[in-house]
Amino acid sequence: MRTSLSVLLCGAVSAPAAAAELDVTLQIPQLDVAEYHRPYVAVWIEGADQRVAANLAVWYDLKKKDGEGTKWLKDLRQWWRRSGRELQMPVDGVSGATRVVGEHTLHFSAGKAPLPELAPGQYQLMVEAAREVGGRELLKIPFQWPIAKAEQLSAQGSAELGRVTLALKP
C-alpha cells in the first residue's frame, strides 16, 4: 500500500501544470466580387513594445511553382515589416495553404511551438489579411498575460476578415 501511494504522490509532484491555452477563430467572409482570390493571412502576437512575441500562422499560396507564392507575402504589410522578411518560408508548424471562405479555428498551448512561454505583460493578437485584386485588413485584440481567468475577446473585420475571436484559458 505504501509503495503504490508513494508512486502516486511522486507522479503527482512531477506532472507538469496545465499550460495556458489560446484558441483563435477567424472568419474569412464570402465576397461578391468578379475575381475572387483566397486571402493571405498572418496571425501573430506582439508585445507592448510592438515586437513580435510569436508567429502563430501564415497562410499563403504554396502551390505556385518555384516558391512564387512567397513573393506576395510582403502584401501583409504589418506582419512583413515586423517579422516576415526575416523568416525563411515555409516555417514548420506556422505556415500553410490559404483557406476557403468560412470559420477556421487555431489552437495553441503555452510552451508548445509556435507559442512560447510569454513574459507577464500586455500583448496583442494581430490578424492581417491581404487579397490579390482585393484589399488589406488588420485586426488587433489586446490581452493580458498570464491569463487570470477564462475569457473571450473579439474584433470585427469590415472587408477581408469577418469576426476574429480570441478565447483565453488559464
Side-chain angles (χ1 to χ4, degrees):
M1 179 74 172
R2 284 186 180 167
T3 305
S4 43
L5 181 58
S6 60
V7 168
L8 282 172
L9 289 174
C10 287
V13 170
S14 65
E21 296 179 348
L22 283 82
D23 286 334
V24 178
T25 302
L26 64 99
Q27 182 184 50
I28 297 175
Q30 176 69 49
L31 301 176
D32 188 19
V33 293
E35 186 177 342
Y36 180 80
H37 297 273
R38 292 180 182 177
Y40 280 30
V41 175
V43 181
W44 73 99
I45 294 173
E46 67 179 40
D49 60 358
Q50 297 185 333
R51 290 185 184 197
V52 174
N55 280 298
L56 301 178
V58 179
W59 301 339
Y60 67 102
D61 192 343
L62 299 170
K63 292 183 179 179
K64 292 196 181 247
K65 65 179 182 174
D66 300 326
E68 184 78 13
T70 59
K71 175 180 176 182
W72 306 108
L73 285 170
K74 60 184 157 234
D75 287 348
L76 296 166
R77 292 182 198 146
Q78 289 299 314
W79 172 78
W80 182 256
R81 289 178 187 141
R82 301 261 162 73
S83 77
R85 63 177 143 206
E86 299 166 8
L87 296 176
Q88 181 64 41
M89 300 303 277
V91 177
D92 189 35
V94 172
S95 57
T98 58
R99 304 294 200 272
V100 298
V101 167
E103 227 176 55
H104 305 277
T105 300
L106 305 166
H107 176 77
F108 305 100
S109 294
K112 293 184 182 175
L115 179 62
E117 287 292 342
L118 299 172
Q122 269 301 120
Y123 291 90
Q124 289 191 97
L125 175 73
M126 310 288 285
V127 180
E128 186 173 19
R131 209 169 40 83
E132 183 182 351
V133 192
R136 188 182 70 78
E137 189 164 19
L138 176 68
L139 296 178
K140 302 174 185 184
I141 301 175
F143 66 96
Q144 184 71 34
W145 193 268
I147 302 167
K149 62 180 171 113
E151 64 180 318
Q152 258 194 335
L153 308 166
S154 64
Q156 179 63 48
S158 61
E160 301 302 326
L161 291 167
R163 177 165 295 293
V164 174
T165 304
L166 173 61
L168 302 164
K169 300 171 200 155

